[in-house]
DNA sequence: TTTCTAACA
DNA sequence: TGTTAGTA
């Protein structure tokens, strides 16, 4: 792999940047962290440092929340996702349907009740 | 100035 | 969730 690839897991983004990238409030981002939905790295002074993956994750969380899911339900979705990933690494029909569902959920963000 | 935690409305 | 207080 080349060193030119984007290191999506490198935590270098401060709260201010993530706030704008996700269109979420600091409060919401910290709350999702508290709930264990995200685990940002910490820098000097315990300041959160987010990676590109964290940003994607936050957007995904926001999508689920907008779709009416509760925090605990999102945790269940994660657990289910991990089980599927652990037992069947190869994409089967079931996984593909979940992947499609996730994509539709994201697309729905542009058709749903959002103010933009 | 920015971010953090805790707590109250 | 917003907001405020007191810090680091």
């Amino acid at each position: 792999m080349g060193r030119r690839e984007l290191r999506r897991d490198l935590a270098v983004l401060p709260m201010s940047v993530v706030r704008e990238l996700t269109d979420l409030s600091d409060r919401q981002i910290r709350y999702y962290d508290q709930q264990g939905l995200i685990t940002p790295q910490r820098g000097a002074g315990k300041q959160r440092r987010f990676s590109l993956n964290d940003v994607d994750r936050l957007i995904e969380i926001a999508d689920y929340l907008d779709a009416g899911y509760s925090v605990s339900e999102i945790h269940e979705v994660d657990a289910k996702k991990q089980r599927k990933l652990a037992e069947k690494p190869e994409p089967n029909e079931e996984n593909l349907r979940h992947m499609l569902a996730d994509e539709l959920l994201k697309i729905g963000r542009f058709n749903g009740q959002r103010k933009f």
Side-chain angles (χ1 to χ4, degrees):
Chain A
M1 299 305 147
R3 85 188 116 242
R4 286 183 186 64
E5 296 203 29
L6 255 185
R7 274 115 60 123
R8 320 193 79 81
D9 50 356
L10 191 55
V12 294
L13 313 178
M15 179 61 85
S16 57
V17 173
V18 178
R19 182 205 300 142
E20 294 201 39
L21 251 27
T22 62
D23 197 39
L24 292 170
S25 65
D26 307 16
R27 182 71 173 79
Q28 291 174 300
I29 296 171
R30 295 191 180 107
Y31 177 66
Y32 303 152
D33 182 7
Q34 257 190 284
Q35 302 310 301
L37 293 176
I38 55 171
T39 312
Q41 222 173 283
R42 295 286 185 147
K46 291 189 175 181
Q47 297 191 128
R48 272 166 268 246
R49 282 304 157 83
F50 306 83
S51 68
L52 256 27
N53 284 328
D54 290 326
V55 174
D56 283 337
R57 173 64 171 151
L58 281 167
I59 291 174
E60 184 182 45
I61 292 169
D63 284 338
Y64 276 104
L65 257 23
D66 285 347
Y69 282 66
S70 66
V71 171
S72 56
E73 286 174 326
I74 295 176
H75 273 127
E76 289 177 22
V77 171
D78 293 341
K80 204 157 192 173
K81 205 170 288 184
Q82 287 176 30
R83 288 174 222 139
K84 290 289 182 182
L85 215 62
E87 48 188 71
K88 291 198 170 186
E90 347 76 54
N92 53 45
E93 191 171 348
E94 186 66 10
N95 283 327
L96 289 174
R97 289 213 312 226
H98 287 314
M99 291 169 72
L100 176 60
D102 284 352
E103 291 309 309
L104 290 176
L105 196 58
K106 290 179 181 176
I107 294 173
R109 211 181 178 209
F110 297 96
N111 303 317
Q113 62 278 284
R114 267 228 151 175
K115 54 323 185 197
F116 64 78

